[in-house]
């Protein structure tokens, strides 16, 4: 599943340059991921969720308040969800650059740029990740 996603990503880099956003695949491109890969995708999200929980707990401690359980407190749950999205973007970027040396080389040569961002379904805006 991950190999298919990487092939699709590499195809888009090779043929579309910087226009890699979530577009329909070009003719001849590997097929996009389907629902049968959901389990594998969820496994890939687990590290991001763990990192997000840790990050939010550390933020709560730094703010001087008590550490609230993210599974119970709605505000903290929203913070964890947001942090998980951001951590997943970072993890995916690292994975792409690790697994696709051709892409990493193009980034290092300045031929393409990797922007860490996500599409916010609530606002309809693309949000950059720091």
């Amino acid at each position: 599943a991950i190999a298919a996603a990487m092939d699709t990503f590499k195809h888009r880099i090779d043929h579309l340059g910087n226009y890699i956003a979530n577009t329909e695949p070009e003719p001849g491109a590997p097929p996009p991921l389907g629902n049968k890969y959901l389990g594998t995708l969820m496994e890939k999200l687990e590290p991001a969720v763990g990192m997000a929980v840790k990050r939010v707990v550390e933020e709560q401690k730094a703010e001087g308040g008590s550490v609230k359980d993210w599974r119970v407190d709605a505000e903290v749950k929203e913070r964890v969800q947001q942090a998980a999205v951001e951590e997943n973007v970072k993890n995916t970027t690292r994975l792409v650059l690790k697994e696709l040396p051709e892409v990493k080389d193009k980034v290092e040569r300045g031929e393409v740029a990797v922007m860490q961002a996500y599409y916010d379904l609530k606002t309809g805006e693309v949000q950059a990740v720091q």
Side-chain angles (χ1 to χ4, degrees):
I2 298 302
M6 291 298 180
D7 286 346
T8 300
F9 188 82
K10 182 182 178 306
H11 175 83
R12 289 181 181 174
I13 286 280
D14 290 343
H15 295 91
L16 301 176
N18 283 330
Y19 293 94
I20 310 171
N22 292 326
T23 59
E24 291 297 315
E26 286 189 8
L33 294 175
N35 288 339
K36 68 181 181 177
Y37 300 115
L38 185 58
T40 302
L41 291 175
M42 293 307 293
E43 289 173 13
K44 294 294 179 189
L45 291 175
E46 286 179 21
V49 173
M51 293 165 69
V53 170
K54 181 179 177 182
R55 184 170 111 188
V56 171
V57 166
E58 289 172 1
E59 288 171 359
Q60 289 182 72
K61 288 179 182 177
E63 293 166 359
S66 62
V67 175
K68 299 175 185 168
D69 187 339
W70 68 275
R71 294 164 294 194
V72 178
D73 187 278
E75 181 183 325
V76 176
K77 183 176 184 176
E78 188 171 322
R79 287 174 64 182
V80 168
Q81 288 171 339
Q82 179 63 36
V85 168
E86 294 170 6
E87 293 298 334
N88 187 53
V89 169
K90 293 174 188 177
N91 289 346
T92 301
T93 301
R94 283 191 290 272
L95 178 66
V96 166
L97 295 175
K98 176 183 172 193
E99 296 294 324
L100 297 175
E102 305 91 351
V103 173
K104 183 178 179 184
D105 291 343
K106 288 183 180 197
V107 169
E108 289 173 351
R109 289 193 305 265
E111 295 174 16
V112 296
V114 175
M115 292 188 64
Q116 296 186 104
Y118 64 93
Y119 179 77
D120 189 323
L121 294 173
K122 290 180 184 175
T123 66
E125 297 176 349
V126 175
Q127 303 291 330
V129 173
Q130 302 299 324

